[in-house]
């Protein structure tokens, strides 16, 4: 039920893409490349891209660096959301999130269920906000990236989406933070 109000302006956001993998490189990172291409095709800015090993400290360090960067509005990661011992992306996110967006993981799994059935239960996709930055953790498969971007994020990161979207909330995400004194 996604609907765009074309009388409203499109406001591009600055999105960083993190691939969590012990084995992928920029040349072999099909999911990260697919996501980056979709971000640019939608009219947004690819603000940064990184491949981080399946390690809580590496993932958390990159997240903290990007959250602190005023040139990054949104972080989307792909990979590390499963249930095996090396899947630690949700644990890294928990170290930085201030608020969870519970509905993201629920909606992702509902949409994924329509395509892969009960196998979607193995995904720990999640989202939240940290210091005014949106964070979304997607599974590492290209299919999961397509589901997360095409069915949810492309709409919620479009300022024209009605009845509401994440972009229109961006100016208010930092309301609880102390004012900076530059």
């Amino acid at each position: 039920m996604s609907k765009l109000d074309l009388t409203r302006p499109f406001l591009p956001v600055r999105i960083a893409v993190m691939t969590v993998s012990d084995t992928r490189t920029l040349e072999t990172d099909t999911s990260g490349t697919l996501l980056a291409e979709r971000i640019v095709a939608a009219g947004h800015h690819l603000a940064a891209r990184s491949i981080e090993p399946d390690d809580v400290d590496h993932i958390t360090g990159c997240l903290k660096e990007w959250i602190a960067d005023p040139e990054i509005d949104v972080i989307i990661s792909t990979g590390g959301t499963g249930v095996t011992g090396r899947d630690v992306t949700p644990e890294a996110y928990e170290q930085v999130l201030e608020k969870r967006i519970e509905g993201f993981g629920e909606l992702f799994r509902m949409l994924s269920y329509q395509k892969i059935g009960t196998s979607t239960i193995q995904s720990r996709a999640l989202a939240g906000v940290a210091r005014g930055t949106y964070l979304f953790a997607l599974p590492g498969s290209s299919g999961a990236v397509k589901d997360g971007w095409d069915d949810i994020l492309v709409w919620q990161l479009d300022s024209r989406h009605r009845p509401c979207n994440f972009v229109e909330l961006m100016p208010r995400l930092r309301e609880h933070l102390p004012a900076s004194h530059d």
Side-chain angles (χ1 to χ4, degrees):
M1 303 306 293
S2 297
K3 184 172 105 177
L4 296 181
D5 179 352
L6 299 179
T7 65
R8 298 174 60 94
F10 175 79
L11 303 173
V13 296
R14 300 163 297 196
I15 304 172
V17 173
M18 177 194 304
T19 299
V20 177
S21 174
D22 287 332
T23 59
R24 294 184 189 170
T25 66
L26 282 177
E27 293 76 32
T28 62
D29 180 20
T30 55
S31 297
T33 298
L34 180 74
L35 182 56
E37 289 170 351
R38 278 173 152 67
I39 288 166
V40 172
H44 298 294
H45 303 290
L46 183 62
R49 185 163 172 203
S50 174
I51 298 180
E52 299 297 327
D54 291 289
D55 176 85
V56 171
D57 292 335
H58 278 93
I59 299 165
T60 303
C62 185
L63 290 173
K64 287 179 178 179
E65 180 182 323
W66 284 351
I67 290 164
D69 187 338
E71 297 301 313
I72 295 175
D73 303 309
V74 176
I75 299 167
I76 306 174
S77 66
T78 174
T81 63
V83 295
T84 70
R86 298 292 294 158
D87 292 322
V88 295
T89 301
E91 287 75 15
Y93 270 56
E94 290 299 332
Q95 291 189 24
V96 299
L97 289 181
E98 295 167 357
K99 294 184 179 188
R100 287 187 63 138
I101 303 171
E102 300 293 345
F104 177 80
E106 295 163 357
L107 179 57
F108 175 84
R109 283 181 285 280
M110 182 196 80
L111 294 167
S112 178
Y113 177 78
Q114 297 169 6
K115 297 172 184 168
I116 64 169
T118 59
S119 294
T120 193
I121 202 165
Q122 295 182 26
S123 165
R124 297 187 297 148
L126 71 128
V129 180
R131 299 199 60 78
T133 302
Y134 286 114
L135 293 89
F136 302 95
L138 297 171
S141 72
S142 293
V145 167
K146 289 176 187 174
D147 292 346
W149 180 262
D150 297 350
D151 296 340
I152 305 171
L153 294 175
V154 74
W155 303 107
Q156 280 298 300
L157 295 177
D158 191 320
S159 55
R160 304 167 298 175
H161 183 263
R162 295 276 137 271
C164 58
N165 60 76
F166 286 137
V167 178
E168 63 194 0
L169 299 177
M170 284 181 174
R172 298 181 48 213
L173 292 178
R174 296 176 183 263
E175 290 174 329
H176 68 294
L177 301 175
S180 64
H181 302 286
D182 297 326

